[in-house]
Amino acid sequence: MTAPHLPQIRLYQNWLRDTRGLSFDTYDALWQWSVTDLAAFWQSIWDYFEIESPTPHHAVLTNPTMPGAQWFTGAQVNYARQVFRHVAPASAAGLPAVLSHGERSLKSGSPARELSWPELQRQVASLALHLRAQGVQPGDRVAAYLPNIPEAMVAFLATVSIGGVWSLCAPDMGTSAVLDRFKQIAPTVLIAIDSVTYGGRDIDRRDVLGELRAGLPSLRHVIVHSPSDEADAIDLIAGGAGFTWATSRNDAETAAFDPLWLPFDHPLWIVYSSGTTGLPKPIVHGHGGTLIVALALKVLHNDIGCSYAPNSFGERYHWYSSTGWVMWNAQLSGLLNGTTCCIFDGNPGGTKEQPDWTTLWRFAAQLGVTFFGAGAAFFANCMKAGVDLSGCGDLSHIRALGTTGSPLAAEVQQWGTAQFNRIRLKAYASSVSPEPVEGLRQAQPEREKEADQDESLPTQEGPRDWLSQTAGAAAPSGGREPHAVGERGGDIWWCNISGGTDFAGAFIGGNRELPLVPGEMQCRLLGCAVEAWNESGQPVHGEVGELVCTQPLPSMPLYFWGDTGNARLISSYFDMYPGVWRHGDWLKVTASGSCIIYGRSDATINRHGLRMGTSELYSAIEALPEVLDSMVVDLEYLGRDSYMPLFVVLRDGVVLDAAMKASLNNAIKTALSPRFVPNDIFQVAEIPRTLSGKKQELPIKKLLLGQPIEKVVNRDAMANPACLDWYVAFAARRAAGQAGA
């Protein structure tokens, strides 16, 4: 028996019809309502997900300006409370909260580590009481230096349950990069790991731990997690505590622990801008805004259902991320709706000596992942490596693929779709029953069995149905809902999204009921008044323009930590168009309402009066089998003629000779225009990338325009800082050549 998986956005629209009397003939009509009547839309999300508050809110939205909008004034919430609403029903259904693997456990064939919902709640309560005993008060900052392991989720929920403000850095970041972030927020507690495993290597972090403690005079307490010997690690930190000990309490007080009710806009966490230039911007988001936007995005648009709900029973959600990327926060938010989260800590591409892009797919096969997300670069790497997914185990459980981080090339999406078509065909043809999925109860609830056998599947199944365990309404006369992308029998559904750390959400994303075109994102998200604006500040359709958001969102930053008068906040988003959020991406909204992101608007190419984002050029040249990676920068500046060098990483044994250069130029001419042929092409060992995998176009552009390397890039915030030496030398040679001209 399989869950019916009716589109979550259809269930929401049925609920709107039945409870509000609102019906919309098209998604565009629904979207228009959501961005013109913001109060009604966000109230509907509050009601649909039955968000709880002991006190009523006086208004959904007051002072509807940016920055400064105030949401749900008078309401009280807590992120952890919303998570713990699911403990009893999810546990009764026999479903885990978190399933996890690291590199070694996956390679050894060991079962995934399982954290049940009651155990998650108990550990959170134990750690929260420990933090409170150390004097942590609402508003105090708790900093964490942890990888993508269940302990990070527990530490986060414990911190925010008592009103502490969470901030996290990944252990692959160096000491100076971490201190650049944490020193700005003066944390009182540090929760850190003493060693990590990545790419097959054990990396000792005890020295970094000592340096962090010495560099953060505000610290009053340190908690150490050690995968090997916690007692030995604690000895290095006088007055510290072990994570295992701090989460081991199991008594009447832990059983009675209740997360605090907090104002809707109480600070939840502090996340950081990419940190490529200057000090990173410490961005503060609130409990309520983050919670309500995450539910709308994760459920309605990403179509990730509650794991114990009959419509999505057994849902397992994975989005690969390090803790240095906001997608860690996005993965965590699955718990808000009672979804089992599947997390992997390690290198998705194997080791440097033995690259293996099947790692995550084997992980997904073992755990029975149903929604599989990763950065667009991951899928491109799998295609380039010639991965055959049919050899990675049983992936037939996967019903949706998610991407973000950079635009997904059409050919990569087509590759993935073809791979899953073969997997589905094989699964359909096979008469062998699938292997039991680890930790998933095979028996389905009686209600789901009836629904799966009934041709008229339920169409009203809002969250109240599974939270209050009431029966769902039958479908109206007419039977099944319209066919949805990703439903059994169709192509796999790709949920391509674009958003940002800045507002802990997405502006553009998916809708299972809309057409799916490779290279495009299906729609602007509900509640997101997104437009493409030209240089005159006018909205355009069918043309590339600046991505702006003209109305506030609940998850937009409350403020930047320590930002007097919101000066940095305003300069980051509102300088170009006062009162309108400028996101810094090139966007085209098509006639059908789908969207195409062309790359960062501050790394644009302007050749002979024609503007273009860099992603189109990458799509053209990276389609060549000889090209592994590439980067282009346009050095037009203050009226100078455009000079556009192209940097390429080629396969082993391939040389950038005249024939290869001609092949690259011809690819650009054919796909784009002769105007976008680069002035020069250079073969390089690596393309500089951030820790989240983004190409460092703007820093390299600034370097080549004459700015010193230390002013334009933070090496500790990079995935491959050693490669910068080549670019620095190249910039010096170019500067010397210009001086001698």
Side-chain angles (χ1 to χ4, degrees):
M1 297 289 182
T2 56
H5 282 294
L6 294 177
Q8 299 289 337
I9 200 165
R10 173 53 45 194
L11 302 181
Y12 168 67
Q13 288 185 78
N14 289 342
W15 179 88
L16 281 178
R17 177 197 64 207
D18 296 341
T19 65
R20 300 292 203 269
L22 293 172
S23 295
F24 302 93
D25 293 334
T26 65
Y27 176 76
D28 184 66
L30 174 64
W31 177 79
Q32 290 286 352
W33 167 73
S34 76
V35 297
T36 53
D37 195 344
L38 291 177
F41 169 69
W42 288 109
Q43 182 66 57
S44 79
I45 298 299
W46 177 284
D47 294 340
Y48 183 67
F49 289 101
E50 295 186 329
I51 297 173
E52 297 175 338
S53 172
T55 53
H57 49 271
H58 312 307
V60 173
L61 176 60
T62 54
N63 188 29
T65 59
M66 293 186 286
Q70 296 176 332
W71 294 91
F72 294 93
T73 306
Q76 298 179 76
V77 296
N78 190 301
Y79 192 108
R81 273 185 171 273
Q82 175 66 26
V83 170
F84 293 152
R85 292 177 64 184
H86 304 288
V87 171
S91 180
L95 299 169
V98 183
L99 294 169
S100 63
H101 258 309
E103 289 181 359
R104 289 206 167 87
S105 62
L106 180 66
K107 186 176 182 179
S108 69
S110 302
R113 182 178 165 200
E114 180 174 325
L115 185 62
S116 71
W117 285 91
E119 179 62 8
L120 171 67
Q121 185 176 38
R122 187 202 62 75
Q123 289 189 26
V124 168
S126 176
L127 183 56
L129 291 170
H130 176 78
L131 290 172
R132 186 177 284 168
Q134 301 304 313
V136 175
Q137 298 292 318
D140 286 350
R141 278 75 62 211
V142 174
Y145 187 66
L146 295 168
N148 188 18
I149 54 178
E151 286 80 2
M153 292 180 162
V154 169
F156 162 76
L157 290 170
T159 297
V160 304
S161 69
I162 59 173
V165 184
W166 171 259
S167 195
L168 175 65
C169 283
D172 55 0
M173 298 175 68
T175 305
S176 60
V178 177
L179 288 176
D180 280 348
R181 289 157 172 77
F182 288 166
K183 285 177 78 171
Q184 295 186 72
I185 66 171
T188 60
V189 173
L190 174 67
I191 305 175
I193 196 165
D194 72 343
S195 66
V196 293
T197 300
Y198 190 85
R201 293 170 46 238
D202 292 327
I203 305 169
D204 193 330
R205 282 307 195 209
R206 286 176 295 180
D207 287 346
V208 175
L209 182 51
E211 291 166 357
L212 292 180
R213 191 181 186 198
L216 296 170
S218 58
L219 289 179
R220 299 197 300 262
H221 187 59
V222 177
I223 300 173
V224 182
H225 172 58
S226 177
S228 54
D229 189 344
E230 205 159 90
D232 182 56
I234 297 167
D235 287 343
L236 300 174
I237 306 294
F243 190 92
T244 302
W245 176 82
T247 56
S248 64
R249 186 171 172 181
N250 190 10
D251 54 18
E253 195 173 357
T254 55
F257 176 77
D258 208 19
L260 293 176
W261 288 109
L262 300 166
F264 187 88
D265 61 354
H266 185 84
L268 173 70
W269 58 42
I270 301 171
V271 293
Y272 302 89
S273 63
S274 62
T276 54
T277 60
L279 281 178
K281 291 173 288 223
I283 304 168
V284 184
H285 298 128
H287 272 253
T290 303
L291 185 160
I292 198 169
V293 167
L295 286 170
L297 167 62
K298 205 69 59 204
V299 179
L300 305 187
H301 286 287
N302 292 4
D303 198 58
I304 298 168
C306 172
S307 294
Y308 59 85
N311 182 61
S312 48
F313 189 84
E315 188 87 284
R316 293 195 165 185
Y317 167 46
H318 167 70
W319 200 300
Y320 175 76
S321 179
S322 76
T323 50
W325 190 21
V326 76
M327 294 312 297
W328 178 84
N329 307 67
Q331 170 78 84
L332 169 81
S333 70
L335 298 174
L336 289 171
N337 195 44
T339 306
T340 298
C341 293
C342 301
I343 62 176
F344 178 79
D345 178 41
N347 189 336
T351 68
K352 187 174 182 180
E353 295 76 20
Q354 293 181 308
D356 181 7
W357 289 100
T358 70
T359 301
L360 284 185
W361 299 110
R362 291 185 286 107
F363 162 82
Q366 186 191 110
L367 271 61
V369 167
T370 56
F371 185 106
F372 181 99
F378 167 80
F379 293 99
N381 282 324
C382 290
M383 183 185 76
K384 293 279 187 181
V387 170
D388 179 1
L389 297 186
S390 66
C392 299
D394 183 7
L395 296 172
S396 62
H397 302 96
I398 296 178
R399 61 180 190 85
L401 299 169
T403 71
T404 191
S406 57
L408 181 71
E411 60 268 22
V412 178
Q413 184 168 329
Q414 290 162 343
W415 168 84
T417 298
Q419 291 269 336
F420 274 92
N421 282 345
R422 288 194 291 272
I423 289 169
R424 290 178 169 196
L425 183 62
K426 181 180 178 181
Y428 178 79
S430 175
S431 59
V432 180
S433 298
E435 292 294 321
V437 177
E438 206 173 283
L440 175 60
R441 193 182 68 177
Q442 296 301 302
Q444 303 280 349
E446 289 303 314
R447 185 170 160 216
E448 184 192 330
K449 291 181 181 178
E450 296 168 2
D452 201 56
Q453 295 165 1
D454 191 350
E455 284 301 312
S456 59
L457 293 169
T459 61
Q460 180 184 343
E461 193 171 354
R464 61 170 33 85
D465 292 318
W466 56 82
L467 286 173
S468 58
Q469 301 181 347
T470 59
S477 58
R480 287 186 65 109
E481 297 294 335
H483 173 79
V485 176
E487 202 172 353
R488 289 186 295 259
D491 286 346
I492 195 163
W493 178 57
W494 288 82
C495 180
N496 306 327
I497 67 174
S498 181
T501 301
D502 317 76
F503 63 104
F507 283 138
I508 299 164
N511 179 334
R512 269 188 58 206
E513 297 190 319
L514 293 178
L516 189 61
V517 179
E520 298 183 4
M521 300 179 191
Q522 289 173 293
C523 61
R524 292 172 282 184
L525 301 194
L526 296 177
C528 300
V530 169
E531 296 177 346
W533 279 17
N534 62 20
E535 292 176 344
S536 302
Q538 299 298 317
V540 293
H541 281 77
E543 300 177 23
V544 177
E546 287 276 358
L547 191 163
V548 301
C549 187
T550 63
Q551 298 285 353
L553 278 172
S555 64
M556 284 178 173
L558 299 175
Y559 45 83
F560 289 175
W561 194 268
D563 182 19
T564 304
N566 283 334
R568 295 180 75 193
L569 177 68
I570 292 170
S571 67
S572 296
Y573 311 113
F574 304 108
D575 256 3
M576 180 174 285
Y577 308 111
V580 172
W581 178 288
R582 172 184 172 263
H583 196 56
D585 283 338
W586 287 122
L587 165 70
K588 180 165 73 175
V589 181
T590 71
S592 67
S594 66
C595 297
I596 304 172
I597 295 289
Y598 289 91
R600 295 294 296 173
S601 56
D602 50 16
T604 188
I605 297 170
N606 187 349
R607 299 284 277 176
H608 316 292
L610 291 181
R611 294 190 306 173
M612 184 187 69
T614 52
S615 65
E616 285 185 288
L617 191 142
Y618 298 145
S619 295
I621 61 177
E622 291 179 13
L624 297 175
E626 300 90 345
V627 180
L628 295 177
D629 206 356
S630 64
M631 183 178 68
V632 66
V633 293
D634 182 6
L635 302 185
E636 181 197 40
Y637 184 66
L638 294 179
R640 301 176 190 173
D641 289 338
S642 170
Y643 172 75
M644 190 174 79
L646 170 65
F647 306 99
V648 293
V649 180
L650 302 178
R651 287 189 180 276
D652 287 344
V654 178
V655 178
L656 184 64
D657 54 17
M660 189 67 237
K661 288 182 179 180
S663 180
L664 290 163
N665 287 333
N666 287 333
I668 295 168
K669 290 176 184 177
T670 302
L672 304 174
S673 160
R675 298 190 186 204
F676 296 108
V677 170
N679 296 89
D680 287 308
I681 306 176
F682 301 94
Q683 184 172 1
V684 296
E686 290 182 274
I687 298 301
R689 290 183 178 269
T690 65
L691 290 171
S692 61
K694 293 187 178 180
K695 299 181 184 186
Q696 295 271 46
E697 296 164 321
L698 186 59
I700 297 303
K701 177 177 179 176
K702 291 180 176 180
L703 172 68
L704 297 180
L705 286 172
Q707 296 190 39
I709 188 65
E710 62 270 17
K711 295 286 188 181
V712 301
V713 68
N714 183 342
R715 289 176 182 263
D716 289 328
M718 289 184 60
N720 52 351
C723 78
L724 285 177
D725 294 341
W726 185 93
Y727 294 88
V728 171
F730 173 77
R733 290 195 303 271
R734 184 170 181 273
Q738 288 178 329

